[in-house]
Amino acid sequence: MADKRPEKRSLRKDFARAARNFVLAPVMAIAALNGAGAPFAKAADIQSTPDTSAQQLAPLQPMHDAVIVPRVRAEKSGSGEKLTYDQQVFSYNAPKLQTPSPDEAKKIDGMNAEERKEYYMKKLCFTAGNTPAAGAAQQEQIASALAILSSLPVTGKPLVDNAVASHVQFCGLPRLPLGIGAQYLPGSDAIISGPDAMKAAFTLHMAHEMLHAAQDGNHLLNYETAWDIQSRVARNLSIEAAAYATEFMVAMEAKQAGDASYWVYMEVRFHNTPAGEETLRMVEKSYQDVIAAGGTKDTALRAVGQTAWQRVFENDEWRNFYLNLELTNYMADIAGGSFHRVEDIHHNGFDAAKVAKAGQVGGNASFTANVTFPDFDSLMARNEKMRWAYQAAEIARLKQMDGDNDKAVETLKAAALKDNNPYLEVDIIAAWQRASNDSWDRKPGNFLQFLYQYLDADLPVQTFPVKDAAPIIITPLPPLPAVPQADTAPAAPPVVAKPAPQRPAA
């Protein structure tokens, strides 16, 4: 029988101490720098979850003063190959591996970048449904989270089953980009995670990333370079809202099964704003209302997911965070010259039918089947700096397509000037590149920022906005004590080892 000694109130206190008003930064997406200018992209977006280790926790502050999407430099291998993001992240973690023998080192030197990535993955990853490598603590942590999720029949088990059927690989890595705790890599069919996350956070991260794997199977992670920015925002925010709603669903099912620690963790993350408090109230009420009306647990949990998906857009921190994510993805395409070959912009690229599939796992009913994506202008209306940055990026995109003197460029510039946009004379590509270069810088006290803060830094002193004038440098908190956890999950069922699928070398 599980130890029920940690009561809900003490759990909340423990999580509050551990999170220290952990700013709402649930998921990040990182664009890989592979194949600039490709007409159709998939691995360019990497769905990810923030680091919840003690070294990444910050005192309460508005999120737009604390974070920006981490980007990576266009690193090259010793042979001059341009590395994709997937190749970079495993290359950065290679020094943590055991020193290879001289013969093996020679073999590695003869590999191309993709072959080296696959070599490192064999050392650092295991395939869903297989037994982790003996003594690999991070892999064992992942396996424990998968066992917990497998014990939740409505929400967790379908995610794990889908990961097994899709041969998703799970990789425990010593180092991820600044602020990232876990990621799904579509180009490698892999979920990577960093160390030192709290149990509740880590388990929910795995659920979140496995929902992205399911979305990948439903062809929702792709986008066309020619899509308009409204389509790109709809895609990114829809899939991320669904993944985050999955965390609510898992936490609620675990709570109903007797382990409230996951729900308390969600409460801590949302308690610091009126919108967050209302989200928690409405999500919990949606479950209770369905059960009170005689509905099944399955139906009630889908109602939880639908309510969470709709409510998350009302949270300023979450919304601004994801708008910033897509802005940096957009800038990656602009900086890479992707729009030189684009002649026409395609509208409604991520339509209502795709939004409706964002919450679907396997053959189960999707909890986003009846949701409506918010109007783009309404998303932009609540943060003028974000709106200005998007305007500047769109002008840069049109200049690349049609030239500086094109009528569409002049029309958009006139509208931006009327909106008092101060960023029109700032080099947005240079600002984006600095943000990219900063992403792997893990010096103490260095936290992520929004792209518009880099633009602010490039404005003349006399035009520097008063609001959000400068980034805030935060000293990391000291390591935290372990959080007591109630654990009602049964032991992991025995698994039958099977070889990981072979991947062709690039």
Side-chain angles (χ1 to χ4, degrees):
M1 180 177 295
D3 185 355
K4 297 290 185 66
R5 286 175 296 176
E7 296 296 329
K8 181 175 181 179
R9 180 169 301 183
S10 63
L11 278 170
R12 183 179 291 110
K13 181 178 179 181
D14 288 329
F15 278 127
R17 181 180 68 248
R20 290 292 217 292
N21 292 323
F22 171 51
V23 287
L24 183 58
V27 185
M28 297 183 181
I30 301 179
L33 303 176
N34 54 333
F40 201 78
K42 173 180 171 181
D45 266 84
I46 299 159
Q47 319 316 314
S48 54
T49 309
D51 187 356
T52 52
S53 69
Q55 295 304 310
Q56 287 297 324
L57 303 180
L60 175 63
Q61 62 176 356
M63 184 174 180
H64 54 270
D65 285 336
V67 293
I68 190 172
V69 177
R71 307 291 304 203
V72 293
R73 291 184 286 267
E75 299 285 357
K76 293 184 178 181
S77 68
S79 62
E81 296 171 286
K82 186 175 180 180
L83 302 183
T84 68
Y85 174 78
D86 294 28
Q87 292 163 358
Q88 288 186 57
V89 76
F90 284 101
S91 178
Y92 272 108
N93 283 277
K96 300 294 184 179
L97 297 173
Q98 185 175 359
T99 303
S101 66
D103 287 344
E104 194 171 16
K106 184 177 180 180
K107 181 180 178 181
I108 294 171
D109 287 341
M111 296 177 181
N112 62 35
E114 185 63 15
E115 290 170 339
R116 282 193 297 275
K117 184 202 77 171
E118 295 292 336
Y119 169 82
Y120 298 140
M121 288 184 72
K122 289 178 182 178
K123 301 282 187 178
L124 294 163
C125 311
F126 71 100
T127 307
N130 286 1
T131 303
Q138 284 182 260
Q139 291 190 20
E140 291 172 355
Q141 183 184 27
I142 294 170
S144 176
L146 298 184
I148 292 170
L149 291 168
S150 293
S151 72
L152 301 175
V154 178
T155 61
K157 189 175 187 301
L159 290 167
V160 176
D161 289 347
N162 180 77
V164 172
S166 302
H167 306 292
V168 173
Q169 296 192 74
F170 290 86
C171 314
L173 304 183
R175 184 187 184 198
L176 296 182
L178 186 65
I180 298 296
Q183 295 175 322
Y184 173 64
L185 308 180
S188 299
D189 297 322
I191 291 172
I192 61 177
S193 61
D196 300 329
M198 295 177 288
K199 174 188 168 185
F202 190 88
T203 303
L204 294 175
H205 290 176
M206 289 298 103
H208 183 121
E209 301 309 325
M210 284 190 286
L211 193 277
H212 284 316
Q215 292 168 337
D216 193 16
N218 290 329
H219 310 293
L220 300 181
L221 302 190
N222 298 19
Y223 73 94
E224 293 184 38
T225 304
W227 278 4
D228 63 10
I229 190 58
Q230 290 87 344
S231 298
R232 294 175 65 134
V233 166
R235 182 196 68 96
N236 202 358
L237 270 67
S238 290
I239 61 177
E240 296 295 355
Y244 202 54
T246 295
E247 296 187 45
F248 276 96
M249 296 168 68
V250 169
M252 179 60 74
E253 185 174 11
K255 178 181 178 181
Q256 299 305 316
D259 187 349
S261 62
Y262 302 94
W263 184 256
V264 172
Y265 173 74
M266 298 302 289
E267 288 182 323
V268 169
R269 294 169 77 179
F270 271 88
H271 85 284
N272 61 338
T273 65
E277 293 281 4
E278 180 67 3
T279 295
L280 288 163
R281 186 191 70 80
M282 291 183 67
V283 167
E284 193 154 23
K285 184 176 184 297
S286 67
Y287 183 90
Q288 295 167 349
D289 286 350
V290 172
I291 296 300
T296 64
K297 183 170 73 172
D298 184 284
T299 303
L301 288 169
R302 279 202 299 273
V304 164
Q306 185 177 93
T307 301
W309 191 95
Q310 293 169 323
R311 282 293 309 171
V312 75
F313 294 96
E314 299 301 316
N315 189 288
D316 291 338
E317 288 83 2
W318 185 94
R319 184 182 60 255
N320 291 334
F321 182 78
Y322 285 108
L323 289 175
N324 189 72
L325 286 177
E326 187 50 48
L327 177 60
T328 57
N329 290 335
Y330 200 39
M331 286 305 306
D333 282 346
I334 294 170
S338 299
F339 296 104
H340 283 302
R341 297 197 295 270
V342 174
E343 296 182 359
D344 297 304
I345 300 301
H346 302 165
H347 305 286
N348 202 29
F350 202 86
D351 58 16
K354 291 182 178 178
V355 173
K357 294 174 64 177
Q360 184 174 22
V361 180
N364 293 349
S366 174
F367 61 83
T368 61
N370 299 308
V371 301
T372 301
F373 189 79
D375 176 72
F376 178 81
D377 289 339
S378 72
L379 292 173
M380 290 292 164
R382 306 188 205 187
N383 184 327
E384 64 181 5
K385 287 194 174 187
M386 190 72 72
R387 182 174 71 250
W388 290 338
Y390 265 83
Q391 289 172 348
E394 186 68 354
I395 290 170
R397 190 255 285 261
L398 289 176
K399 284 182 177 180
Q400 193 171 106
M401 289 177 60
D402 303 317
D404 291 3
N405 299 319
D406 183 77
K407 184 177 180 180
V409 173
E410 294 302 320
T411 299
L412 188 55
K413 285 179 69 174
L417 287 169
K418 187 176 181 180
D419 194 31
N420 300 313
N421 190 329
Y423 299 146
L424 299 188
E425 302 306 319
V426 176
D427 187 340
I428 190 171
I429 293 179
W432 168 84
Q433 188 63 62
R434 292 203 314 278
S436 303
N437 293 342
D438 286 349
S439 66
W440 286 94
D441 187 352
R442 302 182 72 93
K443 292 193 298 286
N446 191 20
F447 281 79
L448 302 169
Q449 304 173 56
F450 281 143
L451 181 55
Y452 65 63
Q453 290 180 291
Y454 285 85
L455 295 171
D456 281 346
D458 289 346
L459 291 172
V461 174
Q462 62 269 25
T463 61
F464 202 100
V466 174
K467 188 166 54 177
D468 300 328
I472 296 177
I473 304 300
I474 302 171
T475 302
L477 299 176
L480 300 170
V483 177
Q485 303 277 345
D487 186 359
T488 60
V495 292
V496 178
K498 57 184 179 182
Q502 295 298 311
R503 298 171 181 272

